Amino acid sequence: MNKKWVVVGTGLTLGSALFVTSAFAGIGDAAGYDAYKAAIKQTASISNVTKNVHVSVQDNGTKLLDVTSTIKSDSSFKNVSADVAVKAGDASNTAAFYKQDSKGVVKPGDSDVYGVIDMSGHDWHHGKDGGNNGNETWDDSTFAKERENVIDALVGGLKDQVTLTPQADGTKQIDLQLNGSQIPAVANAISSLVIKGAVNGHHPGKAGDMQQNPFADELKQFTGSLPKLSQDIQIKQVSLHAAVDAQNRITGQTLKVTVTGKDDKGAAHEVVIDAAADLSGFDATTPEQVDLTGKQVQNIEKTFGPHKGR
C-alpha cells in the first residue's frame, strides 16, 4: 500500500471526530434537538478528550474501506495524536499522526521516515488556510450562526423526529431515524451533487487545489475504488444515535447513511457508510507528542493552502 494512503485514512478519521462534537449543533427547538444541542455544547467545551473512531464503507455488501483509530485531542485541535489503521480492499497499513508545534507529523507503520507538514495558519475547524494562525475557533459566533441557518433550512420540520429517552441514572439516549420520503428533497439534491463531484475527483475548494494537493494521487486512488454513482442517487436511510452521560457529555455516537444509485453502465449500487465514536478521558487526556531528534524526517510541501498568484 502506498504510504500516503494512511494520511487519507487519518483525514477521514479526524473528520469523523470533528463530527462527534459539531454535527447538527443549534438546530430546532424540539425536546430531542434541545437535548442534543446542549450535549454537543457541553462536550465541545471540554478541554481534552480521547476518541475511539471507526469508519467503514460498503458497496452492495462488500466492504471497500475500514478505518479504526484512537485520537487524543484538545478542544481547539491545536494538539492532536492519533493511531490509525486503514484497510482498503486487500491492502492495509497503520500510521501514527501528530499535530504539534504548528506541524503535522505522519509516520506509516511500515516505514521509519516521519513526514512533516508545516500547518501554521491552517484552521482545522473551518477547514481553510489564512492569516488567523489557528486563533479562530469552531465556535466563532458568525460561523456558528451561518451553520445553524443552513442546517435549519435543510431539516425543516424534521427536528420533531429526534427522540429523547431520559434514563433513571441521569443519562440520556438521543436518536434520529429517517427513511425514504422523510429525507428532504434538498438534502438528496445536495448529496447527489457532492457524490458525483467526489467520484469524479472534483474538489469543493478553488480550482487547482486537488491537483496541487500532495496527496491528490492517493485521494484519486481512494475515490477510484468507490462506485461511480451518476444516476438516480438517493439517500435511502439515515440513523443517528447518541449516548449522553449524567454530566451532559456525549460518550458515544453512531451514524449510518445508506445511499442508492446507478453507475454509468446502469448497474445498481447500495452504499452504506458507518461511523462510530466512543469518547472517554474527559479533561484527563494529554495528546502524545513525538520527538523528531535523530529521526529520519521528510518535509512535505504544503500546497493545499493559499497559492501564489491567486
Side-chain angles (χ1 to χ4, degrees):
M1 172 184 282
N2 190 310
K3 297 180 181 64
K4 293 178 186 176
W5 250 103
V6 180
V7 180
V8 177
T10 302
L12 289 171
T13 300
L14 293 174
S16 300
L18 282 170
F19 168 81
V20 173
T21 54
S22 64
F24 297 113
I27 46 180
D29 54 4
Y33 271 128
D34 275 349
Y36 192 31
K37 180 198 312 185
I40 288 172
K41 289 181 178 180
Q42 179 64 21
T43 306
S45 71
I46 294 167
S47 61
N48 50 72
V49 67
T50 298
K51 305 179 183 78
N52 290 302
V53 180
H54 178 230
V55 180
S56 68
V57 179
Q58 294 187 40
D59 175 34
N60 291 338
T62 299
K63 185 171 289 188
L64 303 180
L65 178 72
D66 193 271
V67 181
T68 58
S69 66
T70 298
I71 304 166
K72 299 178 180 180
S73 64
D74 57 26
S75 59
S76 65
F77 265 70
K78 289 183 178 179
N79 294 287
V80 183
S81 63
D83 291 313
V84 183
V86 181
K87 184 173 183 181
D90 295 328
S92 62
N93 206 342
T94 62
F97 173 86
Y98 309 87
K99 183 172 184 287
Q100 60 188 48
D101 302 325
S102 298
K103 290 182 172 59
V105 181
V106 180
K107 181 191 177 299
D110 58 359
S111 172
D112 292 326
V113 178
Y114 291 75
V116 177
I117 306 172
D118 181 3
M119 303 186 74
S120 57
H122 185 75
D123 184 350
W124 278 82
H125 295 285
H126 287 81
K128 65 184 180 181
D129 288 83
N132 62 357
N133 295 318
N135 292 324
E136 189 177 18
T137 68
W138 180 260
D139 290 321
D140 173 78
S141 59
T142 301
F143 178 77
K145 185 61 178 177
E146 292 174 353
R147 179 182 58 185
E148 179 181 341
N149 291 339
V150 170
I151 298 176
D152 269 334
L154 286 175
V155 301
L158 291 178
K159 52 183 173 287
D160 293 327
Q161 299 294 324
V162 176
T163 61
L164 170 64
T165 308
Q167 307 295 309
D169 59 359
T171 62
K172 307 179 186 73
Q173 302 293 320
I174 300 173
D175 293 275
L176 171 66
Q177 182 77 37
L178 298 176
N179 297 286
S181 61
Q182 292 177 306
I183 299 169
V186 65
N188 263 311
I190 293 173
S191 298
S192 179
L193 289 173
V194 170
I195 291 169
K196 288 179 181 179
V199 299
N200 286 292
H202 296 160
H203 189 268
K206 296 179 181 179
D209 279 358
M210 191 69 176
Q211 287 70 30
Q212 299 183 61
N213 189 323
F215 307 124
D217 291 340
E218 287 66 39
L219 289 168
K220 290 179 181 178
Q221 183 180 358
F222 164 65
T223 57
S225 69
L226 298 175
K228 291 180 170 55
L229 303 184
S230 59
Q231 311 169 52
D232 303 328
I233 300 172
Q234 295 286 326
I235 303 175
K236 180 179 179 181
Q237 184 182 65
V238 176
S239 61
L240 173 73
H241 172 78
V244 181
D245 67 13
Q247 287 73 47
N248 212 33
R249 306 171 301 194
I250 296 175
T251 57
Q253 183 159 284
T254 61
L255 173 69
K256 183 175 183 178
V257 180
T258 302
V259 179
T260 59
K262 296 178 181 179
D263 58 28
D264 288 336
K265 297 181 179 179
H269 295 268
E270 182 174 275
V271 179
V272 180
I273 304 167
D274 278 293
D278 293 318
L279 283 69
S280 61
F282 297 105
D283 292 327
T285 292
T286 301
E288 297 173 10
Q289 295 195 337
V290 59
D291 184 358
L292 296 176
T293 304
K295 304 287 196 307
Q296 297 183 56
V297 173
Q298 178 183 359
N299 291 316
I300 301 173
E301 183 181 358
K302 187 186 74 169
T303 55
F304 45 90
H307 305 291
K308 293 181 179 180
R310 285 196 178 178

